[in-house]
């Protein structure tokens, strides 16, 4: 699960940065505001790569997905990209867990197969 989720989060890192470049064109926002918010989002996406397997890591990832969708109020294209990345996040969590379960079953089967041979 960690690899899939981390890949999604790294993709979000770049999307947030590019959204910041687009948001800079807005006359309503200062550069400091844009890059403070984008910087926090980018930092959070990188930090979450290491926190995925810890308690609350997945929930923090969902909070980032919600924030990404809500950023569409500043950069309208982010509504679409936010929903796309929320879908990718769901798929990463869902299928990542299935892969982890399959790896655990395979490792248990290998261990069981080696036990009589070693005995």
């Amino acid at each position: 699960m960690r690899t899939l989720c981390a890949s999604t989060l790294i993709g979000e890192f770049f999307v947030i940065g590019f959204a910041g470049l687009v948001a800079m064109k807005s006359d309503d926002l200062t550069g400091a505001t844009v890059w403070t918010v984008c910087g926090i989002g980018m930092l959070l996406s990188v930090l979450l790569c290491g926190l995925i397997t810890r308690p609350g890591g997945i929930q923090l990832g969902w909070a980032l997905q919600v924030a990404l969708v809500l950023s569409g109020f500043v950069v309208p294209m982010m509504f679409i990209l936010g929903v796309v990345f929320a879908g990718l996040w769901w798929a990463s969590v869902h299928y990542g867990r299935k892969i982890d379960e399959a790896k655990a079953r395979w490792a248990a089967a290998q261990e069981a197969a080696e036990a009589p041979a070693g005995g």
Side-chain angles (χ1 to χ4, degrees):
M1 176 173 63
R2 185 177 185 165
T3 303
L4 290 174
C5 289
S7 299
T8 300
L9 290 167
I10 293 302
E12 287 180 13
F13 173 87
F14 290 106
V15 167
I16 294 168
F18 291 133
L21 292 173
V22 173
M24 288 291 297
K25 293 182 179 183
S26 173
D27 295 331
D28 299 335
L29 303 169
T30 65
T33 302
V34 169
W35 291 114
T36 299
V37 172
C38 288
I40 291 170
M42 293 169 77
L43 180 65
L44 183 59
S45 68
V46 170
L47 290 176
L48 277 173
C49 289
L51 298 175
I52 292 166
T53 56
R54 300 198 186 245
I58 300 298
Q59 290 77 14
L60 284 173
W62 278 114
L64 182 62
Q65 305 316 308
V66 170
L68 208 60
V69 172
L70 292 177
S71 69
F73 288 110
V74 178
V75 178
M77 187 62 172
M78 290 305 291
F79 283 125
I80 296 168
L81 289 173
V83 169
V84 167
F85 272 96
L88 287 172
W89 182 253
W90 175 84
S92 297
V93 171
H94 179 74
Y95 293 111
R97 285 182 177 154
K98 287 185 179 265
I99 290 169
D100 289 348
E101 290 168 3
K103 283 182 180 179
R105 283 193 307 271
W106 184 82
Q110 290 298 318
E111 188 175 302
E114 291 176 3

